[in-house]
Amino acid sequence: MRKITFLLLILPILMGFKNSRKAQDKILFIVSNQHTYGNTNLNTANHFSEIVLAYDVFEKKGYKVDFVSPEGGAIPVGYIKTSDSIQKKYLYDADFMNLLKTTLKPEVINPEDYKAVYYVGGGAAMFGVPDNKAIQAITMSIYNNNGVVSAVCHGTAGIVDLKTDDGSYLVNGKKANGFPDKFENQSADYYKTFPFSIEEAITRNGGKFMYSKKGWDNHYIVDGRLVTGQDPSASKTVAEKVVELLEKQNKQFIGLKENVDLKSKVDNYVNKIMEEFDIKGTAVAILKDNQVIHKAYYGKANIAYDIPVSNTSIFKTHSLTKLFVSVAVFKLIQNKKINLEDAIGEFLPDLPLNWKSIQIKHLLSHSSGLPTMPVSRNLTELEAQEIIFNKNIQTSPGKEYHYNRTNLWLLKQLIEKVSKRKFQDLIVENQFNGNDTGISFSGDILDIVPNRVTEYYPNKNYEPKIFDFYLPDYLLSAGGLNITLDTYIKWDQQFNVGSLLNQKNKTIMTTPFPYKDGSSFFSYGWRIEYLNKIKTIGFSGGGISVFKKIPSKNMTIIFLSNGYRYDPYIERVSNNLLGIVDETLRNTENLASEELEIAINKKNYKNVQILLNRLKDDKDYSMIDFEMIINEIGYSFLNAIQPRLNEAIEVFKLNTRNYPKSWNAFDSLAEAFGIKGDIKNAKINYEKALELTPKGNAANIERITNLIKNLKKSN
């Protein structure tokens, strides 16, 4: 007998080697410890066939199965039919039966380890499982992580009260089944012990209960990632349907472009962008339905030492740090420690009197109106504080968005005061499960941070130069987080499944702040944009890294880099990557802008004009406002980290040649000449702009007229 058992164990192991990926995937069977119907002496059990028929399917497909019960340990099994070969096989398998004798307790279960849950039926399933909060939490965590929830017969009792993050029932709006009342002996003593009717509970909670009137005919329902079977006859099929769903998820991407090599397309685009804008190194990840569909490392982390970017490379996040600050604040709100409307003076009593009434929401939304805190290696925190304390508030709180470091400085103090924890420690504990692997806090390039990439920005001659980045420790909340791509991915996955914040607070956090000036592009720490009218949320950092989510598509892109020669406009890069993955996110305006800027960077304006003409004639770009695009490129050159003034002038000239009746084109060119100090050409182009400005545009007529007068005075 021992030899037979050994051979049975060897078989699944060998089968597992056929598919090494699945050998790592796990299914969680949920069973009951209940031995009797309620408090009676009537015996009940978990249905043995519902266990083994499903178990056999998962085992043969290479999945590992764990069993969990409310109390752990041994569970009762019944309804055994030894004439069934599969039941007999497992009944005499000592190792399998030991699994039923040593089921796990809920507290030792890590939901991240499982791809699906399977609720076993039998009369025991009606007791101890449906109302077990720990098991409910485990199931929903798996489901929220793109897992599958399944149940058979009375096992469906376990899913009727499951709730999503927004408080609605999982079965709400879904088709489901289980053992119907039609086949219950409702006058029998056993039935009178049931705490509820499965059929009624599903209906009451918004689901549509459907069943076969014939019964015992393998009736099952698949609705999204919820799979239910009516009675034991459906056990095998339910397991097979779960496997089908998991197999579908394991394709490289779902519901996206089919038969397309995603990796090569993304790689080709990233390599092109790195070459054209001289980006030294990047790490890129794209997630769909909380699964990584692309992850890759490109280029060098350090040029001098020829160190490639890898999974150990740590990138400065710069302003992306603010997203982690926002989550930290909303975690305190969720725990009822603070409220958005709380005045900061309640927590920070040493502030100037006219600062104390500013509310937490004003700091998060950058609508406080406070002066921005200076940064210098020569300034202590007290000296920087004294400078801003002696400045006037610029605008009334809540009026308009005005990004500045002071808000983050105050939020750091508030977080530490309320939590009684050091800012860095709280972030690690609450957002990274206490594991600081792959993250560090440092705002000073002089700090020694193992595996941190070297950042390169252009000098005045547009040659790569190591960036002398500095933020003092008291401003770490403004840009001091350093992180690996893998750690960032895990953070996003935890964010998606509600481990960091519940859905209610995530929704509030990413809802547009009601600025008094009517702006709606920013929330409580997150930028809100629209790509082809599809909402995106996120932020960028240092002009070199971006984190962006598309909630309606369950997509995330993480793009980390270490600088550039020419600014690639990182938001545009992220949008174009999303367009590669999902056709509905392909934005022709971004694509045209990028093509033109790449051509302009080569400084051959004859070729730029040829490209512009081709794009104008292309039907795909027929709705594009090329005048606006060229104008934006010109201003991006003016505002570059090292201004590209002469190139901006050439770009604005290009616009005037192509749009000779545009007052705005000449207005922009005049402004660039004025910045250069070329008063003559500034005056000529302002006069041309004034000539073309429509009479109804009084504000710009007045502005341009005054500019011309001032130029005449200075000449």
Side-chain angles (χ1 to χ4, degrees):
M1 192 67 189
R2 291 180 62 82
K3 290 183 179 179
I4 294 174
T5 302
F6 178 73
L7 289 173
L8 286 170
L9 286 172
I10 286 292
L11 180 59
I13 292 173
L14 292 175
M15 289 177 66
F17 279 111
K18 294 179 183 177
N19 190 333
S20 59
R21 180 196 62 75
K22 286 180 182 171
Q24 303 302 313
D25 290 347
K26 299 170 74 175
I27 310 295
L28 186 63
F29 276 40
I30 298 175
V31 290
S32 173
N33 301 105
Q34 188 78 11
H35 286 262
T36 62
Y37 284 100
N39 297 320
T40 70
N41 293 322
L42 297 173
N43 291 329
T44 190
N46 296 276
H47 207 294
F48 191 66
S49 72
E50 294 177 16
I51 295 174
V52 298
L53 294 178
Y55 182 92
D56 191 63
V57 170
F58 291 127
E59 183 208 43
K60 287 178 178 177
K61 290 293 184 178
Y63 291 87
K64 184 181 183 301
V65 173
D66 285 338
F67 291 85
V68 65
S69 62
E71 300 171 10
I75 61 167
V77 292
Y79 316 95
I80 300 172
K81 187 177 181 181
T82 55
S83 60
D84 180 273
S85 61
I86 294 178
Q87 293 189 50
K88 187 174 182 179
K89 167 188 172 182
Y90 287 105
L91 182 63
Y92 292 104
D93 184 332
D95 294 278
F96 171 77
M97 294 303 291
N98 189 57
L99 293 176
L100 305 185
K101 185 179 179 180
T102 58
T103 65
L104 302 172
K105 292 183 178 181
E107 53 262 35
V108 303
I109 297 295
N110 180 2
E112 293 180 29
D113 294 339
Y114 300 93
K115 298 291 185 181
V117 295
Y118 174 80
Y119 282 83
V120 174
M126 297 296 297
F127 307 95
V129 172
D131 57 354
N132 188 285
K133 299 299 183 184
I135 290 177
Q136 289 178 354
I138 290 168
T139 299
M140 289 312 299
S141 182
I142 294 170
Y143 183 81
N144 289 334
N145 198 26
N146 206 37
V148 178
V149 173
S150 62
V152 170
C153 200
H154 289 90
T156 305
I159 72 169
V160 297
D161 285 330
L162 295 176
K163 288 186 177 181
T164 60
D165 285 343
D166 62 5
S168 61
Y169 288 99
L170 176 63
V171 296
N172 184 39
K174 290 184 173 64
K175 299 175 184 177
N177 68 8
F179 204 66
D181 290 339
K182 174 182 174 63
F183 296 108
E184 297 280 14
N185 185 349
Q186 299 184 37
S187 62
D189 289 340
Y190 84 87
Y191 186 79
K192 295 175 183 178
T193 68
F194 283 177
F196 56 85
S197 156
I198 296 174
E199 183 175 341
E200 291 177 359
I202 288 177
T203 304
R204 181 178 63 249
N205 293 340
K208 187 174 182 179
F209 189 84
M210 303 180 69
Y211 68 95
S212 165
K213 294 180 180 180
K214 180 179 178 182
W216 306 92
D217 57 350
N218 190 27
H219 185 67
Y220 66 90
I221 293 175
V222 179
D223 193 335
R225 289 181 287 116
L226 179 65
V227 185
T228 49
Q230 179 168 317
D231 51 49
S233 67
S235 302
K236 179 182 177 182
T237 306
V238 166
E240 290 171 342
K241 295 302 175 182
V242 170
V243 170
E244 285 181 16
L245 287 172
L246 296 179
E247 288 295 322
K248 185 178 179 182
Q249 290 179 2
N250 285 325
K251 290 180 180 178
Q252 192 171 35
F253 49 93
I254 308 164
L256 308 174
K257 293 179 179 178
E258 297 194 3
N259 304 317
V260 173
D261 186 349
L262 177 65
K263 184 179 187 309
S264 66
K265 281 186 169 289
V266 173
D267 287 348
N268 290 341
Y269 175 77
V270 173
N271 287 324
K272 174 186 175 183
I273 291 301
M274 290 180 67
E275 179 181 355
E276 297 292 355
F277 293 91
D278 199 6
I279 300 171
K280 303 305 178 185
T282 65
V284 181
I286 304 172
L287 289 81
K288 169 68 176 174
D289 292 332
N290 219 27
Q291 302 296 313
V292 177
I293 61 173
H294 180 85
K295 183 177 72 171
Y297 304 92
Y298 310 85
K300 302 297 181 181
N302 182 283
I303 300 172
Y305 295 96
D306 195 34
I307 300 173
V309 174
S310 71
N311 63 339
T312 62
S313 297
I314 291 182
F315 290 81
K316 298 189 192 80
T317 62
H318 295 283
S319 288
L320 287 177
T321 302
K322 297 166 180 60
L323 299 182
F324 299 84
V325 174
S326 178
V327 170
V329 172
F330 271 86
K331 188 76 170 179
L332 294 174
I333 292 172
Q334 182 172 296
N335 293 336
K336 303 187 184 307
K337 302 289 186 181
I338 57 175
N339 292 300
L340 280 174
E341 289 74 22
D342 286 343
I344 59 176
E346 295 178 28
F347 309 96
L348 307 173
D350 296 329
L351 297 175
L353 183 62
N354 61 341
W355 287 33
K356 291 185 177 182
S357 61
I358 292 172
Q359 298 174 346
I360 293 173
K361 64 182 182 181
H362 298 135
L363 302 181
L364 285 168
S365 61
H366 290 282
S367 65
S368 66
L370 295 173
T372 194
M373 177 168 269
V375 171
S376 170
R377 293 184 186 275
N378 300 319
L379 282 176
T380 67
E381 182 176 12
L382 286 176
E383 290 169 338
Q385 173 183 295
E386 184 178 358
I387 291 172
I388 57 173
F389 278 5
N390 288 319
K391 288 186 176 181
N392 295 325
I393 292 180
Q394 298 169 334
T395 60
S396 61
K399 180 181 178 182
E400 60 187 25
Y401 176 89
H402 181 71
Y403 180 78
N404 74 68
R405 290 182 290 266
T406 305
N407 296 321
L408 280 304
W409 174 63
L410 292 171
L411 285 171
K412 177 178 180 292
Q413 293 183 64
L414 183 144
I415 289 169
E416 293 182 332
K417 183 71 175 290
V418 174
S419 69
K420 299 180 181 179
R421 300 294 305 279
K422 191 176 180 181
F423 170 74
Q424 301 95 302
D425 294 342
L426 184 73
I427 297 294
V428 171
E429 179 182 324
N430 286 352
Q431 299 184 39
F432 296 95
N433 298 317
N435 183 359
D436 62 0
T437 302
I439 58 173
S440 67
F441 285 87
S442 166
D444 191 343
I445 190 178
L446 301 180
D447 292 340
I448 297 175
V449 178
N451 298 315
R452 184 161 68 178
V453 303
T454 303
E455 290 186 343
Y456 302 91
Y457 284 84
N459 61 15
K460 291 183 179 179
N461 296 320
Y462 266 79
E463 300 165 336
K465 177 184 177 183
I466 294 177
F467 183 44
D468 185 17
F469 182 72
Y470 173 72
L471 270 181
D473 284 351
Y474 57 85
L475 278 174
L476 287 179
S477 53
L481 177 65
N482 302 258
I483 194 167
T484 64
L485 180 62
D486 279 342
T487 304
Y488 214 147
I489 290 170
K490 290 177 182 176
W491 182 88
D492 179 56
Q493 290 174 324
Q494 291 297 299
F495 181 88
N496 291 337
V497 301
S499 296
L500 303 183
L501 291 173
N502 61 30
Q503 188 58 50
K504 175 184 176 182
N505 281 290
K506 283 196 291 186
T507 299
I508 295 172
M509 182 174 67
T510 56
T511 296
F513 180 80
Y515 296 97
K516 294 176 184 176
D517 69 356
S519 300
S520 60
F521 65 90
F522 203 75
S523 64
Y524 299 89
W526 296 62
R527 184 179 296 279
I528 300 170
E529 295 179 333
Y530 289 86
L531 182 58
N532 296 347
K533 298 182 180 181
I534 298 171
K535 181 181 179 180
T536 72
I537 57 174
F539 212 68
S540 59
I544 59 176
S545 296
V546 65
F547 175 84
K548 181 175 291 185
K549 300 180 71 62
I550 304 89
S552 65
K553 290 182 173 288
N554 296 319
M555 290 180 69
T556 302
I557 183 166
I558 306 170
F559 187 100
L560 307 174
S561 79
N562 62 344
Y564 53 77
R565 181 184 182 192
Y566 297 120
D567 187 351
Y569 183 40
I570 200 68
E571 294 283 355
R572 182 176 63 196
V573 170
S574 67
N575 290 344
N576 287 342
L577 279 168
L578 290 169
I580 290 172
V581 178
D582 187 329
E583 185 70 32
T584 66
L585 297 172
R586 182 177 180 271
N587 184 276
T588 52
E589 184 177 304
N590 281 321
L591 293 170
S593 171
E594 190 169 83
E595 278 197 67
L596 285 167
E597 190 163 342
I598 288 172
I600 290 168
N601 285 338
K602 300 182 190 312
K603 301 179 183 179
N604 185 328
Y605 292 96
K606 181 178 180 181
N607 287 343
V608 174
Q609 185 63 63
I610 293 172
L611 172 61
L612 180 59
N613 291 340
R614 177 175 66 78
L615 291 173
K616 286 180 178 179
D617 292 337
D618 192 325
K619 292 181 179 179
D620 283 349
Y621 298 92
S622 60
M623 303 300 292
I624 300 300
D625 185 346
F626 285 100
E627 180 192 346
M628 180 196 70
I629 287 177
I630 295 170
N631 202 54
E632 287 179 346
I633 293 174
Y635 276 103
S636 72
F637 287 4
L638 285 181
N639 298 318
I641 192 168
Q642 296 290 352
R644 302 165 64 180
L645 181 55
N646 289 331
E647 292 165 87
I649 288 173
E650 292 302 320
V651 171
F652 290 136
K653 283 182 179 178
L654 176 71
N655 230 9
T656 60
R657 290 195 296 271
N658 282 273
Y659 301 96
K661 295 183 179 181
S662 169
W663 70 270
N664 189 55
F666 286 95
D667 182 45
S668 299
L669 178 58
E671 181 180 348
F673 275 125
I675 293 172
K676 186 178 181 179
D678 187 339
I679 305 301
K680 177 182 177 181
N681 279 308
K683 179 174 172 291
I684 290 172
N685 283 283
Y686 272 133
E687 288 174 342
K688 183 65 175 177
L690 184 62
E691 175 187 328
L692 294 170
T693 304
K695 292 182 180 180
N697 195 342
N700 278 305
I701 289 174
E702 181 181 0
R703 178 182 61 82
I704 296 171
T705 300
N706 289 333
L707 286 169
I708 294 171
K709 288 180 181 178
N710 291 333
L711 288 172
K712 288 179 178 179
K713 290 179 182 178
S714 62
N715 193 4

